[in-house]
Amino acid sequence: MSVKGLLAILFFYSIQLFSQTESKTIILKDKDTDAPIEDVTVTLLKTKQNLLSNANGIVTFELTGSTNIQIKHSSYLPINLRSNTLKETVNTIYLTSNVNELEDIVITKKHPQKILASLIENSKKRLTVPGRLKVYCREFFKLNGKYSYFNDGLMNIQLLNKSRKTDAIILVEQNRSINLTNDFVKDDLLGYNLNDIMENYYNFKYLNPLLDAVAKKEYDFVIKVFSKNKDYNVISAVPNENASGLLDDFTIIYDPDKKLIIEVSSIVSPLVLSKIKEKTSLGSKNIYKSMFKTIYKLQNNNYYLIGSKEEIGFEKNEKNAKKDIEVRNYFLTKNFSTSYYKFKEEEVFKDKTLHNKKNVILTDYWNESGLTATEDEQQIINTIEEIH
């Protein structure tokens, strides 16, 4: 064999070796308690891919060559590491809490409500628009305690302007919507309204109840700072004894220097739910579970939504019986860029949800979603693959 032929073969195999992908799993745990940590942002800096840990603290991804990996959570010290330090297929990484010491209450001249209003306005102005989000979303639907419907999709969302209303163009690359039972569930389905989802997230509409004048009377506002975490402050707003109605407990984590909101979460507490009088009229709903969370990211001078999670459970009064309905939704920005994508008008998705869209499956896109399913969720996904 000639030298040129040998070099060509070596070059071919070196390309193959370099392009081989390797699957890696990271389990993120609390150093002190050994508990799994949910909603940790893991970024592969080479590809700028974002991942988010699930309820078991797990992220799974494919590696092609080495990369730096950035691991961040608002309640833990950040970690940066090289991918070649992940020697095993499954690697456990322990994070050190930065909020495990006593917190201090911040005394301010301004009412926390005014500080929150200022944070919202500054964050809205600072969000990077125009911007392009490569998004994976996943929705689980339960009817009477049984998983009955599932959909997920991979989309490009182009944010166009910063007027009062955030305009977004949605292109759906791939999607699937599956009825998991023989029961007719379409009439009860809930899910992300994709027409206004970015408007809600980019204008922080979920925080509107805290900006009303009456909120000062109904909520106890407190600003906290932790001695080991100077990067973030926390605003908590909890309904007080004078409050009435279905009011959430709110937690807002923000950067006090840049005055940017990093995380918003809310939950209806069992105490509030216990005070709500049960509705008995036909078609009425009695909520027994409700939570919401969004996470925002500031990196390389870009500030954008990285993920959200919503969950609701309620009983609906029907003519002959009650229906128990639970919905769990996930939304993750896999990649962000400021580039603009080209499209034809007929390609724009204009429906509210993915429920009625014809399935388009070109690849196993859910395996590279950046959102690893829990064991419970994986069983549902496996059922879908068996059906199809």
Side-chain angles (χ1 to χ4, degrees):
M1 181 182 293
S2 68
V3 174
K4 284 186 177 180
L6 181 60
L7 288 174
I9 291 173
L10 289 173
F11 178 75
F12 173 77
Y13 280 109
S14 67
I15 291 294
Q16 272 201 324
L17 183 64
F18 182 77
S19 63
Q20 283 179 345
T21 59
E22 187 178 10
S23 181
K24 292 289 183 180
T25 295
I26 295 176
I27 304 175
L28 296 146
K29 291 189 174 185
D30 186 293
K31 185 179 180 181
D32 297 321
T33 66
D34 202 45
I37 308 171
E38 189 175 6
D39 298 329
V40 180
T41 302
V42 178
T43 304
L44 309 181
L45 295 181
K46 182 179 179 180
T47 60
K48 299 180 182 178
Q49 181 187 358
N50 295 312
L51 309 106
L52 206 61
S53 65
N54 65 17
N56 303 127
I58 296 173
V59 294
T60 302
F61 51 92
E62 299 291 328
L63 280 177
T64 303
S66 61
T67 181
N68 288 321
I69 300 176
Q70 182 187 75
I71 300 173
K72 296 187 75 174
H73 189 287
S74 58
S75 299
Y76 292 85
L77 296 176
I79 289 179
N80 291 288
L81 53 84
R82 289 288 294 173
S83 58
N84 55 19
T85 63
L86 303 175
K87 301 300 183 183
E88 308 297 329
T89 302
V90 179
N91 304 267
T92 300
I93 294 178
Y94 290 92
L95 303 184
T96 303
S97 174
N98 58 16
V99 295
N100 56 3
E101 293 187 4
L102 292 175
E103 69 262 19
D104 294 323
I105 306 299
V106 178
I107 307 299
T108 64
K109 292 181 179 179
K110 282 185 177 181
H111 190 280
Q113 188 191 53
K114 286 190 174 182
I115 293 174
L116 176 60
S118 177
L119 284 169
I120 291 172
E121 281 306 306
N122 189 64
S123 297
K124 284 162 60 175
K125 292 176 183 176
R126 184 65 179 78
L127 281 162
T128 304
V129 177
R132 176 184 176 184
L133 290 73
K134 170 85 81 174
V135 168
Y136 174 74
C137 68
R138 176 188 292 162
E139 302 181 334
F140 294 90
F141 177 86
K142 266 186 179 181
L143 181 61
N144 296 327
K146 184 178 181 180
Y147 282 108
S148 302
Y149 198 86
F150 171 91
N151 78 66
D152 67 357
L154 188 62
M155 301 176 288
N156 282 299
I157 300 180
Q158 180 76 52
L159 303 173
L160 295 178
N161 59 51
K162 270 190 176 180
S163 61
R164 281 190 175 183
K165 187 178 187 304
T166 301
D167 292 331
I169 292 173
I170 300 174
L171 296 182
V172 179
E173 287 189 9
Q174 302 185 58
N175 71 287
R176 54 183 178 168
S177 297
I178 312 293
N179 194 337
L180 301 173
T181 69
N182 293 323
D183 300 326
F184 184 79
V185 298
K186 285 280 187 179
D187 289 344
D188 298 304
L189 288 178
L190 297 174
Y192 281 127
N193 185 336
L194 297 175
N195 286 339
D196 60 16
I197 187 171
M198 300 312 296
E199 163 73 3
N200 291 339
Y201 290 161
Y202 268 56
N203 283 293
F204 299 91
K205 286 197 170 182
Y206 287 89
L207 292 175
N208 281 352
L210 296 181
L211 301 182
D212 292 339
V214 71
K216 282 187 179 182
K217 297 179 181 179
E218 293 185 320
Y219 283 91
D220 290 330
F221 288 84
V222 176
I223 298 180
K224 300 177 185 178
V225 60
F226 294 89
S227 58
K228 289 181 66 176
N229 186 2
K230 303 297 184 183
D231 293 334
Y232 301 124
N233 284 2
V234 180
I235 297 177
S236 68
V238 179
N240 56 38
E241 59 185 13
N242 299 319
S244 62
L246 200 65
L247 303 182
D248 296 49
D249 292 3
F250 285 91
T251 302
I252 301 98
I253 299 173
Y254 68 97
D255 184 323
D257 294 328
K258 296 182 175 64
K259 295 180 172 51
L260 296 177
I261 293 173
I262 301 300
E263 191 174 296
V264 176
S265 59
S266 70
I267 185 168
V268 179
S269 72
L271 180 62
V272 168
L273 288 169
S274 67
K275 295 179 180 179
I276 303 298
K277 186 178 180 181
E278 183 176 354
K279 300 173 184 176
T280 58
S281 59
L282 189 66
S284 60
K285 300 174 183 178
N286 290 294
I287 294 175
Y288 59 82
K289 174 174 59 177
S290 178
M291 65 82 60
F292 164 81
K293 186 173 188 178
T294 52
I295 303 171
Y296 299 84
K297 183 172 185 175
L298 178 65
Q299 188 169 39
N300 299 331
N301 210 36
N302 290 318
Y303 175 51
Y304 61 96
L305 173 76
I306 194 169
S308 76
K309 179 171 58 178
E310 300 187 38
E311 192 167 350
I312 189 168
F314 59 88
E315 286 187 337
K316 183 179 178 182
N317 293 316
E318 299 279 304
K319 187 175 182 179
N320 299 316
K322 291 183 178 180
K323 283 185 178 178
D324 188 300
I325 293 172
E326 292 182 62
V327 184
R328 186 164 70 251
N329 301 332
Y330 300 96
F331 185 99
L332 173 65
T333 299
K334 290 181 55 180
N335 296 92
F336 175 86
S337 72
T338 55
S339 62
Y340 187 85
Y341 56 80
K342 296 180 180 179
F343 60 91
K344 297 177 181 178
E345 184 61 29
E346 59 267 24
E347 296 174 330
V348 177
F349 181 74
K350 296 181 180 179
D351 205 345
K352 289 183 178 180
T353 74
L354 294 175
H355 296 159
N356 298 319
K357 189 178 186 312
K358 183 179 178 181
N359 290 357
V360 178
I361 303 172
L362 306 175
T363 64
D364 295 345
Y365 62 90
W366 48 89
N367 290 331
E368 298 176 6
S369 67
L371 190 61
T372 304
T374 63
E375 185 176 343
D376 179 39
E377 293 167 347
Q378 190 59 51
Q379 289 179 2
I380 303 304
I381 294 170
N382 291 343
T383 301
I384 293 167
E385 292 175 352
E386 289 171 7
I387 293 173
H388 290 70

